[in-house]
Amino acid sequence: MSLRLFGHPFSSYVQKVLIALYANETPFELCILSPDHPENLAEHAKLWPLKRMPLLVDDGRPVMEATTIIEHLAAVHPGPVRLIPTDARAAVDVRMIDRVFDNYVQTPMQKIVFDSIRSEGERDPRGVADARQMLDTTYRWLDERLAKREWAAGDFSLADCAAAPALFYADWVQPIGESCANVRAYRRRLLAHPPFARAVDEARPYRALFPLGAPNRD
Ligand SMILES: N[C@@H](CCC(=O)N[C@@H](CS)C(=O)NCC(=O)O)C(=O)O
């Protein structure tokens, strides 16, 4: 088996896949996407012209999109931690919550971050305000859902792989208020969970890259 993951340790979507790999101790080679490794940048761009990370290459076959990569790992390289439940209904719930974290936490979080690196005249204040509102609405919805749950959808799963980096960075750009105590506690559980703790630690040296300035915590 030869698994190569193209990405950068500070990227939220890359961390989503790293959690899955670490949870099952799946061996892989990280091909870092940074100007220090032009050969990785060139190979990645050839394999995936949209140049989004992460990209997994399994014995030469490219698999793109974080969710699909985790689905691929679960199907082709399963480990002791089942990130997609075998029960079909439970699997639908996991996939539904995975979509919620990507679409309604990661997407608005990225909107806020990417807007901050635009030049003054290219900024989109209305879009950023909408993104902040979306995050607050999602936090409230999640707070009810998490009232009686340890993880986002049953046992630790794909949904939590999506949640961890999404809530990690979202809280930096739009803090999760004290009224959402269940989401705050869930974020703390995720940070204490060894596969994510490892990904966060490995990304620590890159915090200066965070365009809005990383807070002095986590
Ligand atoms: N839908 C993609 C999103 C991936 C994504 O947005 N990755 C960001 C890093 S977190 C990226 O590649 N950004 C580089 C760029 O936008 O050029 C997935 O689920 O993998």
Side-chain angles (χ1 to χ4, degrees):
M1 153 171 109
S2 145
L3 291 178
R4 298 167 72 219
L5 184 71
F6 286 80
H8 191 283
F10 199 58
S11 146
S12 54
Y13 278 104
V14 173
Q15 290 179 6
K16 176 172 168 178
V17 169
L18 288 174
I19 296 167
L21 289 162
Y22 293 158
N24 277 316
E25 295 179 24
T26 310
F28 70 100
E29 178 197 351
L30 181 63
C31 302
I32 294 202
L33 292 175
S34 83
D36 296 339
H37 300 276
E39 70 290 355
N40 289 343
L41 293 175
E43 190 178 353
H44 177 243
K46 207 166 160 191
L47 289 163
W48 188 212
L50 284 169
K51 298 186 191 172
R52 291 293 188 278
M53 57 177 107
L55 174 78
L56 184 78
V57 181
D58 184 349
D59 274 335
R61 182 183 160 213
V63 184
M64 54 282 292
E65 295 291 308
T67 295
T68 311
I69 293 171
I70 295 174
E71 294 265 8
H72 176 87
L73 292 171
V76 183
H77 306 284
V81 180
R82 279 188 192 283
L83 295 168
I84 313 285
T86 41
D87 176 79
R89 276 179 186 239
V92 170
D93 202 40
V94 161
R95 293 186 172 106
M96 175 180 80
I97 299 302
D98 171 70
R99 296 296 77 229
V100 169
F101 281 109
D102 274 18
N103 292 325
Y104 308 121
V105 181
Q106 283 262 29
T107 298
M109 178 272 289
Q110 284 188 331
K111 169 75 186 171
I112 296 165
V113 172
F114 290 137
D115 193 80
S116 76
I117 55 180
R118 288 182 178 175
S119 61
E120 196 65 52
E122 290 184 324
R123 296 227 172 115
D124 172 17
R126 173 63 196 266
V128 168
D130 288 348
R132 292 192 182 283
Q133 200 171 44
M134 179 179 282
L135 283 172
D136 284 340
T137 305
T138 311
Y139 293 160
R140 283 196 295 275
W141 183 83
L142 284 170
D143 202 63
E144 278 191 30
R145 181 175 173 92
L146 291 165
K148 290 188 182 137
R149 290 173 201 268
E150 182 182 12
W151 301 118
D155 294 333
F156 190 88
S157 71
L158 162 70
D160 303 292
C161 297
L167 288 175
F168 178 77
Y169 288 115
D171 184 54
W172 284 8
V173 303
Q174 181 71 6
I176 302 163
E178 284 179 16
S179 61
C180 291
N182 298 324
V183 184
R184 288 161 68 108
Y186 173 57
R187 185 177 179 277
R188 282 196 297 274
R189 280 197 293 285
L190 290 166
L191 274 164
H193 194 59
F196 186 48
R198 180 175 168 188
V200 169
D201 278 342
E202 289 172 352
R204 221 171 269 285
Y206 304 104
R207 286 195 179 187
L209 295 177
F210 195 67
L212 290 156
N216 196 15
R217 56 181 168 89
D218 297 328

